[in-house]
Amino acid sequence: MTRNTALCERKITDAFKDAFRAHPAGVAIITTDDGSGPVGLTASSVSSVSAEPPILSFSLASTHGTAGVIARAETVVVHLLGADNAGLAALFARQGADRFGSTPTRTLPGGEPLLEDAPVALRCRIDGRIPVGGSILIAATVLEVLPGGTDQEPLVYHNRTYHRLGGHSVLGQTGQVTSGGPAAHRE
């Protein structure tokens, strides 16, 4: 690889990171327990793949530490976070933090830790692991939907900051086309 090629690839990588920094994403915490204790991490890569059967995906940037335990797990719990969970998201994103020490948690019959403060949690069976670049893409079938204790506005991650998504951020009425919106350019 030449020096110019390496510089070009770094520019593309930096531009890619900037593009996704400007693209908001929902925030989740993924937990599991391999028998040596509960582990969990914050993720903004969770996505719905299929409704029938219910399948979701997420990616892990590493196969070491907590991410490695999750990558090798048979089952996980994906907690979709609300705006009131921003502190929890920050805790589970911090390396070396005692993530479960003061977090209200209970253990599901399958051994997975459930964070009781999340608005909804999805207990999943991991069905596929695909190495992609320096990451691993995980596909998981939802086995159970566990409603949480509170109804909250969604937590969104945008430009390295957590945000509340709610009624204050609505640009138009549900089901109506507003000028400049994606549906405005349909013919």
Side-chain angles (χ1 to χ4, degrees):
M1 177 183 312
T2 68
R3 185 175 192 281
N4 286 340
T5 303
L7 287 173
C8 184
E9 287 178 4
R10 187 171 44 227
K11 285 181 183 179
I12 292 170
T13 298
D14 291 345
F16 177 82
K17 289 177 182 178
D18 288 346
F20 272 89
R21 193 172 292 125
H23 182 74
V27 182
I29 292 175
I30 303 167
T31 62
T32 195
D33 189 334
D34 66 355
S36 61
V39 297
L41 54 76
T42 301
S44 60
S45 63
V46 175
S47 181
S48 169
V49 174
S50 168
E52 297 221 10
I55 297 172
L56 60 80
S57 69
F58 59 91
S59 64
L60 300 167
S62 171
T63 56
H64 305 314
T66 297
V69 173
I70 290 171
R72 293 185 299 276
E74 291 182 29
T75 58
V76 297
V77 178
V78 177
H79 305 80
L80 304 179
L81 301 184
D84 294 345
N85 301 129
L88 197 59
L91 173 66
F92 276 74
R94 215 173 12 252
Q95 283 191 312
D98 180 7
R99 296 174 174 143
F100 293 93
S102 62
T103 303
T105 307
R106 68 180 165 97
T107 303
L108 297 175
E112 309 91 350
L114 175 69
L115 306 178
E116 293 181 341
D117 290 342
V120 67
L122 309 166
R123 183 173 170 268
C124 304
R125 176 188 67 237
I126 294 182
D127 293 323
R129 297 166 183 87
I130 304 166
V132 180
S135 297
I136 185 164
L137 179 64
I138 306 289
T141 299
V142 177
L143 302 173
E144 194 174 359
V145 177
L146 305 158
T150 61
D151 187 26
Q152 301 178 38
E153 293 176 329
L155 180 63
V156 176
Y157 191 70
H158 173 257
N159 198 19
R160 299 181 180 175
T161 306
Y162 296 113
H163 298 269
R164 175 183 306 271
L165 185 65
H168 66 282
S169 60
V170 174
L171 297 177
Q173 297 293 326
T174 303
Q176 292 182 348
V177 176
T178 58
S179 64
H185 299 289
R186 291 188 190 145
E187 297 199 25

